[in-house]
């Protein structure tokens, strides 16, 4: 079973702050994803990647950057955090896309004051 | 574009009750449909995947089917237990471009002992 870990698990920052969320997967999956989860919206895709150095734009990318440094590591960057980015963030990985099962990490709760 | 609608935001049942959750979907291609479950404090995990209309997916006592005529898909369980309390997401595998997952807004199932 795929192992996906996220850090930190909780983060509080102020408006305009700089935040980096980290994700690591140890099952050699090609695809990695960042989602945000908000009440009434389910999970919405921010960015995804199909390999080191690759980045694809998801459905809600505004205000977020991401970088995939290795096959294992995927980072989400908020360079000027805003209160609207207060959310629960999930990272996931999968072998492929489309029909492939995605394995999710435990989530990072971010609060922007 | 592809979309999925999940109308039941909250469902409260007693142990041994019958569970039925319904979603509708829209796609121009052959759908791949999933049910993910999220327990408190965890990320979502795959419960069931259905790739062929009117064929059942079965896992952990849950059954899922979809109907092309009504573009709906369903999750059911004959007898729920308190341990089934969780959020259930219907998910559509997007088929016309990004090949990503489109999540419904989720159904919070609470099972009373």
């Amino acid at each position: 079973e795929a192992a996906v870990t996220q850090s930190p698990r909780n983060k509080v920052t102020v408006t305009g702050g700089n935040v980096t969320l980290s994700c690591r997967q140890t099952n050699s999956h090609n695809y990695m994803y960042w989602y945000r989860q908000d009440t009434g919206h389910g999970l919405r895709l921010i960015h995804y990647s199909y390999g080191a150095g690759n980045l694809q734009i998801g459905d809600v990318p505004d205000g977020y950057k991401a970088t995939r440094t290795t096959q294992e590591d995927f980072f989400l960057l908020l360079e000027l955090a805003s209160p609207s980015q207060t959310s629960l963030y999930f990272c996931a990985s999968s072998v492929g896309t489309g029909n492939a099962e995605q394995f999710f990490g435990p989530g990072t709760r971010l609060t922007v004051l | 574009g592809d979309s999925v609608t999940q109308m039941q935001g909250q469902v409260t049942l007693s142990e041994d009750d019958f569970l039925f959750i319904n979603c509708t979907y829209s796609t121009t291609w052959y759908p791949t449909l999933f049910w993910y479950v999220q327990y408190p404090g965890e990320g979502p995990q795959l419960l069931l995947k259905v790739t062929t209309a009117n064929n059942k997916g079965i896992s952990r006592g849950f059954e899922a089917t979809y109907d092309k005529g009504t573009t709906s898909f369903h999750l059911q369980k004959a007898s729920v237990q308190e341990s089934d309390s969780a959020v259930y997401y219907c998910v559509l595998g997007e088929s016309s471009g990004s090949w990503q997952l489109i999540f419904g807004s989720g159904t919070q199932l609470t099972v009373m002992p």
Side-chain angles (χ1 to χ4, degrees):
Chain A
E1 188 171 342
V4 182
T5 56
Q6 295 182 234
S7 62
R9 294 295 311 277
N10 289 281
K11 176 72 177 179
V12 179
T13 190
V14 296
T15 299
N18 197 325
V19 176
T20 298
L21 306 184
S22 302
C23 177
R24 166 164 284 202
Q25 56 95 5
T26 59
N27 218 38
S28 302
H29 285 169
N30 294 323
Y31 284 79
M32 295 186 73
Y33 311 83
W34 279 107
Y35 292 89
R36 60 177 291 171
Q37 183 179 50
D38 304 287
T39 303
H41 291 280
L43 278 79
R44 293 180 290 176
L45 182 64
I46 303 170
H47 290 297
Y48 65 103
S49 167
Y50 55 73
N54 175 264
L55 182 65
Q56 303 293 316
I57 293 172
D59 298 322
V60 290
D62 292 347
Y64 302 96
K65 293 184 178 179
T67 181
R68 179 91 175 268
T69 55
T70 65
Q71 185 177 36
E72 294 78 20
D73 298 303
F74 195 28
F75 301 92
L76 185 67
L77 296 81
L78 292 74
E79 293 183 334
L80 287 171
S82 72
S84 64
Q85 294 176 307
T86 293
S87 187
L88 183 57
Y89 291 87
F90 286 101
C91 176
S93 73
S94 65
V95 170
T97 187
N99 297 343
E101 177 180 1
Q102 292 188 15
F103 295 86
F104 285 80
T108 295
R109 184 166 295 282
L110 174 66
T111 302
V112 183
L113 302 175
Chain B
D2 292 4
S3 65
V4 61
T5 302
Q6 187 168 5
M7 297 300 293
Q8 296 158 280
Q10 302 223 6
V11 173
T12 301
L13 298 172
S14 298
E15 280 197 323
D16 299 323
D17 279 352
F18 174 72
L19 170 69
F20 184 86
I21 302 174
N22 182 66
C23 290
T24 57
Y25 68 90
S26 174
T27 181
T28 55
W29 199 241
Y30 299 101
T32 297
L33 298 159
F34 306 82
W35 287 96
Y36 276 75
V37 59
Q38 184 178 18
Y39 298 102
E42 299 181 8
Q45 57 184 270
L46 180 65
L47 178 60
L48 283 165
K49 172 178 163 180
V50 183
T51 57
T52 306
N54 301 320
N55 279 3
K56 284 183 188 177
I58 299 175
S59 175
R60 310 185 220 172
F62 290 88
E63 296 182 5
T65 58
Y66 80 86
D67 184 324
K68 280 187 68 176
T70 60
T71 62
S72 62
F73 61 124
H74 325 288
L75 179 70
Q76 63 184 60
K77 188 176 186 184
S79 176
V80 294
Q81 302 302 305
E82 191 176 1
S83 58
D84 294 324
S85 296
V87 179
Y88 293 81
Y89 289 99
C90 52
V91 182
L92 171 66
E94 203 269 349
S95 58
S96 57
S98 69
W99 300 93
Q100 298 311 316
L101 298 183
I102 300 171
F103 282 77
S105 53
T107 296
Q108 171 69 60
L109 171 65
T110 302
V111 181
M112 310 298 289

